[in-house]
Structures are given as structure tokens and as C-alpha cells.
Amino acid sequence: MTTETGKHTAESPVTSETTNQQWGGRFSEPTDAFVARFTASIDFDCRLYRHDIQGSIAHARMLGHSGILTASEVEQIITGLEQIQQEIEAGQVEWSVELEDIHMNIESRLTQKIGPVGKKLHTGRSRNDQIATDIRLWLRDEIDVISKEFRRFQSGLLQLAEKEAHTIMPGFTHLQTAQPVTFGHHLLAWYEMVERDYQRLQDCRKRVNQSPLGAAALAGTTFPIDRHFTADALGFDGPTRNSLDSVSDRDFAIEFCSAAAIAMTHLSRMAEELVLWTSAQFNFIELPDRFCTGSSIMPQKKNPDVPELVRGKTGRVNGHLISLLTLMKSQPLAYNKDNQEDKEPLFDAVDTLRDSFRAFADMVPNIQSKPEVMREAALRGFSTATDLADYLVRKGLPFRDAHEVVGKAVAFGIETERDLAELKLEELSTFSDLITADVFDVLTLEGSVNARNHIGGTAPEQVLKSVEVLRAQLG
Ligand code: ARG
């Protein structure tokens, strides 16, 4: 018995009468009902149906091309598989736990539909190379979808960075006010993180995009198969080189989860900043109401739920990476049933990564900054102290001495509760006679950010230049 979503509930009776037809020959008693449920993967690998059929069609074509099946047999198999896909998509197929997994569910339906010729599809193939093929095909498609979300987020960041190129905010180290930066510059830092995440995914895709089909159970097959044919038909870069390795390793899935964990870690850092900035204490930005929720008890609350959730979801993706590493650890060659446990972590990592990036791509370009508040915050906290030290260095003082002089000026500012720019020239010059009226040019926030006008610097001019270059690269 299955629920509407095809899930088997704990109470679902699974009859123990049915001997599994796919291997029944060797067995003298049917699989125990609990064992059937325990070992089945259909509840989750049904998600791979489209890629399983895609792989089977390519395999059937290859069998025809190599003269292993007749043209008519191939045609019947392909027509049958295409119809099964339609039936699945119309919700007409009830998955069966007795048939264990997606491969046997589809094959058994095929034989039901087209008769004994359906039983020829599995010639020269094993579920071991079949599942390795399915996951790779599926993951490749998902990487492409996720890559588009990454790109959408990046182009949103460029749009916002351009708008905020001149907005000044405090830059932090140790979360203490350090030096003034432009908000556009900060957003471009986020862009760089996502760009590396994107590159990591593309790199991972190369190793995903290899065809294990033809490795069969572990050693290859006695049939005269053409592995280049199936690799080409499925859009793979080529066949994998070693059959034992092909059916056993899931390092491509580990690699994906690793890239996903790093990307989520980046999002969690951005999420954390968004949460801080929306707090009453910072009050730097406003998130659109549609990305926030209220409190059932405190009427004034507007909670940044989306960034908080993304920050939290980072934990599960990190967990999936550890799951897969632990799953693979110490597995002897070649295929082991352990590998069936790769799917749920991988599926959830994909879903979480995609949805989190989608949320950020929708939300971040719609941030409303509060430039006056940011500016006010940058004015506090002696953010131009380094500019004063640099000023003294340009007048001939060694940097260490300049550091000392400015430290004393800051101490005086703290004592008298004024920022450096608020001190009078007479006061400032008591710390060094090198300080003259032109000092106020470097003590302003604009002076400070404009002065950092080199590649990678925070000056508005650099931000605008970078936006232009990056936009051209994004295409
Ligand atoms: N459901 C299996 C998996 O996910 C498919 C391969 C099964 N192979 C086997 N020899 N039992 O790994």
C-alpha cells in the first residue's frame, strides 16, 4: 500500500508471499516482509525515474547498434519506456516495495507492457552501473539548475553594488569598527564568494559527467557493447576507465556536497550580516516585508526569517557531507549496498542549496539600505584613524611612530567624547606638529574611501569599475 506521494507508511502491509522475480531463481523462500521494506530504496530513488529511463533508452539503442538486440526489439523497448514515463508523470504508477528500487519497478512494468522482450533490456548491464549512471545524470541536471540560481544571485549583487557604490558604512574587523568602506564594495565581496562557489560547481560537474554505463556489476560484460555510444547518447564527456571504480565510488557526490557545504557556509555568513544589519542596534538595512514574518505575541517584531533559516540550513548540508564521507570510508571495492545510502543526503543537499540560493537571489537585490544610519555609524568608532596615520607617514613620520601619535589622539577623543574629525586643529596638532589644516581632508569618510583607489580597494570608482568588468564576464 502506498500513500499519494508513493511513500510506504510504517503500517503498510508488505506481503511476504511474493518471491522477488528478479533473482527468485536462487532462493528457496521469499524475502522477509520487514527485510523487503528495510532494503528497499523505491521511496526515495523514485525521484530518479526520468534519468533511469533516459539511461535505459540509451542502453537499448546501444544494444541495437551493437547487434545484441534486433531493431524491432529495441523499438518495442523504447516505446514501452516512453509510455512508462508518461504514466509516471500522469501519476498512474504505483511503486512497489517488493520490486525494491526504481530500476526493477520500471523494468517490471516494461515487461508487463511489452511482454518477454522487456526482459532483454538488462542484457550487458547491472543495477550497479545503472544506478551510478542515474545519479550522475540527475546530479548533472541539478548542477545546471543550481548554477543558474548562482548566476541570478550574482547579477542581483552587481545591480545592488552599483546602486550602493557611494554608500559609506563602517567596515569591521573583530566586529569592531575598523575603517570606512562602501556598501557596494561589501556586496562585491559577497559576489567573489559566490563566484568561487560557482567555479567549484563547474569543476565538480566535469567529474560527474563521465559515463559508468557498461561497467555492469563490477568487471564489465561479455557482450560486445559500445561504451562510447552510450556515453555520447547521454551527453557524457566519455566513458569511465575502470569498471570496478565506476560502480563503487561516490566521490563525485561527496565533491558536490563539499562544494555545497562551502557555498552554504558563504550564504550563512551573508545571512548573519543581514540579521545583524536588520536589528534595531545596527539598523543599516530594511528587508522587504515579503521575506520576513511577525511575532504572534510581540506586535513590533519583523523577523528576518529567510536569512535565519538559510543560516540554519547550512548545518544540514554540512551534515550530508559528513554522512557521505563516512558512508564511503573503508568501503572495499567494488559495489556495496552501503551506497544506497548516498541518495537521501545528496537529494537534500541539492534541494537545500538550490532553494537557499533562490531565496537569496530573490531577496538580496531588494534590500533597502539606510545610508544616513550607515554613515552615522561609520563616523563613530574612529574609523579614519588609519587615514590619519597614513597622512603622518606621507609627511615623513615612520609608520610605527604615526601609529603611536594617532593612538594618543584617539585616547583624547574617547576622553572628550568626540571623533577625530570633530577635534580642533589646535588640539590635533598637540599630538604632532606635522598635523596642519589639510588633515581634515583625510579625516572625512569620503576622503578615506576615495583614497583607497586601486584594484580591490573600497573607492566608489573601483566599485563601479568592477561592476562593469564583472557584468561583462557574466554576460
Ligand atoms: N538501489 C541500489 C542503490 O541505490 C541500486 C543498486 C543495487 N545493486 C545491488 N547489487 N543490490 O545503490
Side-chain angles (χ1 to χ4, degrees):
M1 203 172 83
T2 50
T3 62
E4 276 160 58
T5 53
K7 286 257 175 210
H8 284 267
T9 58
E11 315 83 59
S12 308
V14 178
T15 59
S16 33
E17 275 97 73
T18 1
T19 301
N20 200 309
Q21 292 162 5
Q22 265 67 15
W23 59 62
R26 189 214 179 282
F27 287 73
S28 58
E29 61 172 355
T31 313
D32 177 88
F34 169 72
V35 172
R37 212 163 45 230
F38 186 71
T39 54
S41 54
I42 186 63
D43 281 355
F44 46 88
D45 68 15
C46 58
R47 184 170 176 170
L48 298 171
Y49 78 88
R50 212 156 34 85
H51 301 89
D52 192 72
I53 290 175
Q54 189 188 358
S56 287
I57 290 177
H59 179 67
R61 286 222 164 89
M62 183 279 292
L63 292 175
H65 166 83
S66 311
I68 302 164
L69 294 187
T70 67
S72 139
E73 287 171 333
V74 173
E75 203 191 298
Q76 292 174 64
I77 288 174
I78 292 177
T79 310
L81 287 169
E82 284 169 352
Q83 284 170 6
I84 293 171
Q85 176 156 345
Q86 284 165 13
E87 288 171 11
I88 296 170
E89 280 162 7
Q92 294 160 354
V93 173
E94 266 222 6
W95 303 117
S96 145
V97 160
E98 286 88 343
L99 292 168
E100 196 181 324
D101 57 27
I102 185 65
H103 323 300
M104 297 204 289
N105 268 269
I106 289 178
E107 192 189 309
S108 145
R109 178 83 191 112
L110 182 68
T111 305
Q112 241 178 45
K113 281 179 80 73
I114 66 170
V117 64
K119 296 186 188 169
K120 296 193 174 187
L121 169 63
H122 214 49
T123 313
R125 183 177 77 167
S126 152
R127 283 184 297 153
N128 295 352
D129 60 342
Q130 190 177 358
I131 187 61
T133 305
D134 290 5
I135 319 173
R136 284 168 182 270
L137 287 173
W138 177 83
L139 185 56
R140 184 182 69 187
D141 280 355
E142 295 295 332
I143 288 176
D144 292 345
V145 170
I146 294 168
S147 298
K148 286 207 185 88
E149 291 296 347
F150 277 30
R151 284 313 202 204
R152 198 163 66 84
F153 180 35
Q154 286 181 287
S155 90
L157 282 172
L158 291 185
Q159 183 191 316
L160 190 61
E162 185 172 42
K163 188 168 141 213
E164 305 289 354
H166 291 89
T167 309
I168 295 177
M169 65 186 280
F172 300 93
T173 60
H174 313 267
L175 205 55
Q176 311 290 314
T177 300
Q179 292 172 358
V181 296
T182 52
F183 186 33
H185 189 56
H186 194 110
L187 293 164
L188 289 184
W190 290 5
Y191 180 96
E192 293 298 329
M193 301 179 197
V194 182
E195 175 61 22
R196 289 192 298 277
D197 294 334
Y198 177 86
Q199 295 302 337
R200 256 184 292 275
L201 266 194
Q202 305 319 302
D203 204 44
C204 167
R205 191 189 189 282
K206 289 181 207 153
R207 281 175 290 279
V208 168
N209 202 32
Q210 307 288 327
S211 177
L213 202 55
L218 75 165
T221 172
T222 55
F223 292 96
I225 56 168
D226 182 343
R227 295 195 58 211
H228 281 285
F229 184 99
T230 37
D232 287 351
L234 294 169
F236 283 120
D237 292 334
T240 51
R241 279 194 297 262
N242 182 295
S243 64
L244 293 168
D245 174 50
S246 307
V247 292
S248 81
D249 212 336
R250 296 290 182 266
D251 59 349
F252 63 90
I254 298 176
E255 203 176 328
F256 172 83
C257 281
S258 159
I262 297 174
M264 287 299 295
T265 299
H266 283 155
L267 279 195
S268 80
R269 299 181 59 198
M270 300 170 205
E272 172 74 2
E273 293 189 323
L274 291 177
V275 171
L276 283 173
W277 293 345
T278 52
S279 69
Q281 287 65 29
F282 272 83
N283 194 28
F284 283 5
I285 61 160
E286 186 80 36
L287 288 178
D289 285 359
R290 62 185 185 281
F291 294 101
C292 300
T293 63
S295 157
S296 55
I297 177 168
M298 297 166 283
Q300 86 284 10
K301 290 294 284 286
K302 176 176 162 185
N303 297 327
D305 290 46
V306 171
E308 288 174 273
L309 255 184
V310 166
R311 189 175 60 184
K313 281 176 188 293
T314 306
R316 57 203 274 172
V317 177
N318 288 351
H320 297 324
L321 170 61
I322 297 298
S323 295
L324 290 190
L325 283 168
T326 313
L327 170 69
M328 202 72 237
K329 181 187 173 292
S330 314
Q331 263 196 53
L333 285 171
Y335 176 84
N336 300 285
K337 185 76 167 178
D338 312 41
N339 281 347
Q340 182 164 294
E341 286 290 306
D342 65 352
K343 280 160 214 68
E344 289 161 293
L346 182 63
F347 290 171
D348 190 70
V350 160
D351 292 341
T352 307
L353 185 67
R354 188 196 51 239
D355 290 353
S356 301
F357 268 85
R358 177 187 165 165
F360 266 55
D362 288 344
M363 178 180 66
V364 171
N366 294 300
I367 288 175
Q368 283 300 324
S369 68
K370 298 182 181 173
E372 338 68 50
V373 182
M374 288 176 160
R375 190 184 165 78
E376 191 52 41
L379 283 171
R380 277 179 275 121
F382 304 94
S383 65
T384 54
T386 319
D387 296 82
L388 179 55
D390 288 353
Y391 165 90
L392 291 169
V393 170
R394 279 193 296 275
K395 295 213 166 179
L397 205 60
F399 183 78
R400 274 294 147 231
D401 297 337
H403 189 285
E404 170 82 17
V405 166
V406 178
K408 286 185 175 142
V410 167
F412 178 70
I414 292 170
E415 208 181 291
T416 59
E417 291 181 7
R418 283 172 303 162
D419 199 82
L420 291 177
E422 292 166 334
L423 299 180
K424 295 196 188 71
L425 179 59
E426 305 90 80
E427 292 169 318
L428 280 169
S429 56
T430 62
F431 299 102
S432 164
D433 49 20
L434 293 172
I435 297 177
T436 54
D438 59 356
V439 73
F440 293 104
D441 298 341
V442 306
L443 292 183
T444 66
L445 297 178
E446 283 73 15
S448 174
V449 295
N450 285 332
R452 289 165 168 79
N453 195 8
H454 52 75
I455 296 172
T458 200
E461 197 184 317
Q462 288 298 326
V463 172
L464 292 173
K465 259 192 203 164
S466 289
V467 167
E468 207 177 307
V469 171
L470 296 172
R471 201 169 265 154
Q473 277 173 15
L474 267 190

